[in-house]
Each structure stands twice: as C-alpha cells, then as structure tokens.
Amino acid sequence: MNTRKIILSIIGVLLIIGAFYAANLIIDSKKSFKPKAQKVVKTVFAEIVENSEVPIVVPANGNLVAKNKVELYAEVQGVFKRGNKLFKTGQSFRAGETIISIDASEYSASVQSAKSDLYNQVTAIMPDLRLDYPDIFPKWQTYLSSFDLNKATPDLPEMVSEKEKFFISGRGILTSFYNVKNLEQRLSKYRITAPFSGVLTETLVTEGTLVRSGQKLGEFINTDVYELEVAVSKNFSDLLKIGEKVALSALGDTKQYEGKVARINGKVDQASQTIKAFIEVKNSDLREGMYLEANLDARNETDAIEVDRGLLLEGDKIFVVRDTILDLIDVRPVYFSDKKVVLKDVPNGTVIVSKPILGAYTGMAVRIFEDKPTNTDK
C-alpha cells in the first residue's frame, strides 16, 4: 500500500509540473513581436529669406452707388400724364428730356389769366408815359411789343429814376409781375425733366395715377460714373491721397477696374475707428449695387518679407530650419491682411518654413523638400 501511495504522489506531482509548463507555453505563444521603433523625419517646405521692399496693400470693399442720383418727388398735385416714353424701370432719358408730366391745364389757365392782367396794366399806363415821361416811353413800348402770352413773361425794363419806380409801383405793376413769375415757377413743377442723361432705377407711379404734393415718384441715376464707399483704418488715413489710383475687382470676376480716390472723410468713426473714402470709377459694365473689392496702395515697407499668417506663432515667432532641426526665432510683424503678414527682423539667408507643419516643435528633425525636375529624355 505504501508503494502505491508513493507512486500516485509522484504521478500527481508530475501532472502539476506538466500543467504549469503547458500554461507557460500557452502564455508565451500569445506574446506579439514588437519591432524596434524607427525615428520619423518629416519633409517640410522651406525657402531662403531675401528681404526686400514689400508694398502694403490695404483691402477694402463696398457696394457701388451712382455718383449722380436724384429722387423724384412731386411738388404739385395732379393726374400723371402719359409722355413720349414710358415711366418704367430701366427707361433711359437724355438731359433735358421730360421724365414726368402732370396735367396742369387748370393751373395753366390761371397763369394765363394773371399774365393777361399784367399785360392790361402795362397797356393802361402807356398813354400817361407818353405825356408825362416821354424819355422812358420807348423802352416800355418795346417791352409791351415783346410780351407774348404763350411764352414766359419777360423781365420788366430797368427803372433808373425814382420817379419811374414810384409811377410803375403805384400802378401795381410790380406786384402783378412778381405774382405772375411765382405762378410760372410753380407751373414749371408740373413737368419734371432729366437733370442729366441716365436711367430710371425705381418707379412708384403709373400713367393716370393721381399724384399728390410731396409724393415720391421714383429714382433716376447717371450710369456713367459710380462711387465706391470703403472704410479704411485710421492708421492709413494719412497715406491716402485724393486722385490716387485704386485697383477694383468683383467677386468671382477676373476683370479688373481702375478707380481713383475722389473724396476722403475728415471724421473718424468712433465705433470702428475707420475713415470713409470714396473711390470714383467709370465703366460701362458696372451697375449700381455691385459689390467690389478695392486694393489701396498704402505704403512700401523696406527690409521686410511677406508670409502666410498661418506660419506666425505666438504672434511674433516663426519656424526656421537649422541643420535639419526645427527652431523658433523672434520676428516683428508690421502689417496683417486676411491671409498674409509682413515681417521684419528676419536675417537674410535664413531658411524659414514656408508651409505649416502639423505637430511641429522645437528640435524636431526634418528634411527639406526638393522639387527635382522630371527627366523626360528617352
């Protein structure tokens, strides 16, 4: 029995040792092979600094507005009459041509009545002038002969003596004359003429409409000359000059337009700290309301470079390459635009990074990209 127990004990120990050994083999078989990490060297784009004179161009934008524009208002009341041309948006008129005509038949009759009264008053004094003032009779006779009821009332003859003035004024002729002139002036308001050649851009009434005094009728603009109002930082206000040429362009349009600074406001906007500048531009392709971008030549910065704004770190640092290692140097930004920044204090010959690097840090190993030409010879 003792021998049997010993044998069973030995078998048990061997089983335990075998199980432990098998378990170690299984654990070892699950260990993955980890290759030795290799050092990664990033390829970067770089360029050699060469300081030069960098023109600082101030971008601005705005909408075109016609330089010559008038809003048409009625100063009298009446029915809008149909003219030679339709009163519609887009209709063009030459300078002096009638844009709007309001029925003035009733008012015109009252003007003619007042003119007739004046004519009768002058006629009535002629016998007295012949007898009492024979020296001034000829000029009043000439005035009466030139008086035409169908034309504008001519100015009264010049009165040189006090006696003549008293005589004419005493007969009520001066009062009647100025009353007629006032009526004729108002009669002219029944017809609105084009102050310049242009186009109707807005019409608010149609033929046959009853027009009331003070009512807005439309808008008329000159399509030859436009102005672009832009806001410029006060820092560049002293650099803008009237008459300076400005390059203009429309969004999505490759065509360039040339304008010039026509006016500069002398007041700084307190909220935005900008100054309004007005750029005059002429081109048949332009229309009022078009959105244009302007590039104003402000000044030239000497001994400077221009780079992408994304390369500037912490506001005053950029990456450089020193013997395949990245390093940071201090720079002095002097002007920011939407995409670019002008820098100074960058030594000539410095190799700077020309495109941003993801995850870059000081001491990082890099390799400069070299654009080698492809050999096409066969």
Side-chain angles (χ1 to χ4, degrees):
M1 292 294 294
N2 291 332
T3 303
R4 184 180 177 187
K5 290 181 178 179
I6 293 171
I7 294 172
L8 291 175
S9 298
I10 293 171
I11 293 172
V13 171
L14 291 175
L15 289 174
I16 293 172
I17 293 173
F20 180 78
Y21 180 74
N24 285 336
L25 290 177
I26 294 172
I27 293 172
D28 291 339
S29 66
K30 291 184 177 181
K31 289 183 179 180
S32 59
F33 175 75
K34 295 183 179 180
K36 185 178 179 181
Q38 295 182 354
K39 189 175 182 181
V40 178
V41 178
K42 280 196 173 184
T43 301
V44 300
F45 293 89
E47 61 183 27
I48 300 175
V49 170
E50 185 177 347
N51 285 282
S52 61
E53 190 174 70
V54 179
I56 293 182
V57 179
V58 180
N61 52 66
N63 295 95
L64 282 180
V65 177
K67 185 175 182 179
N68 297 317
K69 176 196 293 189
V70 291
E71 292 184 338
L72 305 175
Y73 282 89
E75 297 183 63
V76 294
Q77 180 172 309
V79 176
F80 185 10
K81 292 170 56 179
R82 180 181 178 88
N84 295 328
K85 293 183 177 180
L86 290 176
F87 187 73
K88 298 292 184 181
T89 302
Q91 182 65 58
S92 60
F93 293 88
R94 296 188 304 272
E97 197 172 3
T98 301
I99 300 178
I100 297 171
S101 181
I102 300 173
D103 186 11
S105 55
E106 182 179 350
Y107 191 81
S108 179
S110 65
V111 175
Q112 290 297 94
S113 176
K115 290 171 68 175
S116 178
D117 290 341
L118 175 62
Y119 182 82
N120 292 336
Q121 287 179 298
V122 176
T123 303
I125 67 170
M126 296 307 292
D128 293 335
L129 287 178
R130 182 189 293 271
L131 294 175
D132 299 334
Y133 304 97
D135 54 331
I136 64 173
F137 174 79
K139 67 179 180 181
W140 283 94
Q141 180 64 43
T142 303
Y143 175 77
L144 198 61
S145 300
S146 64
F147 201 104
D148 189 345
L149 292 175
N150 296 319
K151 296 181 180 180
T153 304
D155 292 337
L156 294 175
E158 184 180 358
M159 291 172 280
V160 294
S161 65
E162 292 294 328
K163 289 183 179 181
E164 182 181 6
K165 291 179 182 178
F166 292 151
F167 179 81
I168 299 299
S169 178
R171 297 299 191 277
I173 293 176
L174 288 179
T175 301
S176 297
F177 172 77
Y178 287 114
N179 180 51
V180 170
K181 281 296 185 182
N182 181 54
L183 294 174
E184 287 182 335
Q185 182 65 28
R186 187 164 182 80
L187 180 62
S188 66
K189 299 182 185 299
Y190 283 82
R191 176 174 169 267
I192 300 177
T193 59
F196 43 76
S197 297
V199 174
L200 284 169
T201 57
E202 183 183 23
T203 56
L204 303 175
V205 293
T206 57
E207 290 84 351
T209 304
L210 176 61
V211 175
R212 290 179 170 82
S213 179
Q215 180 180 351
K216 185 178 180 181
L217 307 177
E219 188 177 77
F220 186 71
I221 69 168
N222 184 349
T223 57
D224 294 334
V225 186
Y226 295 93
E227 282 189 339
L228 180 69
E229 179 183 330
V230 296
V232 182
S233 173
K234 64 181 180 63
N235 298 327
F236 300 102
S237 61
D238 57 331
L239 302 172
L240 291 175
K241 296 180 181 179
I242 293 178
E244 182 178 353
K245 293 183 179 180
V246 180
L248 303 171
S249 61
L251 288 177
D253 190 357
T254 57
K255 188 172 182 179
Q256 295 286 322
Y257 307 97
E258 184 179 280
K260 65 178 180 179
V261 179
R263 303 191 312 279
I264 301 173
N265 196 348
K267 182 181 178 181
V268 176
D269 185 271
Q270 295 183 358
S272 61
Q273 289 297 293
T274 58
I275 292 179
K276 299 289 186 181
F278 299 87
I279 302 168
E280 184 178 301
V281 57
K282 300 178 182 179
N283 195 287
S284 59
D285 295 336
L286 298 176
R287 295 290 183 272
E288 186 175 60
M290 281 182 64
Y291 181 85
L292 292 183
E293 293 183 336
N295 293 316
L296 305 171
D297 293 330
R299 66 167 184 260
N300 292 334
E301 195 70 50
T302 58
D303 295 327
I305 62 171
E306 187 177 43
V307 299
D308 291 337
R309 288 189 62 164
L311 299 177
L312 192 63
L313 304 173
E314 301 177 17
D316 61 353
K317 293 178 175 61
I318 60 171
F319 273 120
V320 297
V321 180
R322 301 185 192 275
D323 297 330
T324 70
I325 300 297
L326 281 186
D327 193 10
L328 281 175
I329 63 169
D330 294 327
V331 295
R332 180 162 60 92
V334 293
Y335 174 72
F336 291 89
S337 65
D338 292 340
K339 298 180 180 180
K340 299 285 186 177
V341 58
V342 178
L343 305 176
K344 293 181 72 72
D345 297 344
V346 184
N348 283 327
T350 304
V351 180
I352 64 171
V353 175
S354 59
K355 290 187 178 181
I357 308 171
L358 185 64
Y361 56 88
T362 302
M364 179 179 181
V366 295
R367 178 174 62 251
I368 297 176
F369 174 78
E370 295 182 2
D371 189 9
K372 296 180 180 181
T374 304
N375 187 4
T376 59
D377 296 339
K378 294 183 179 181

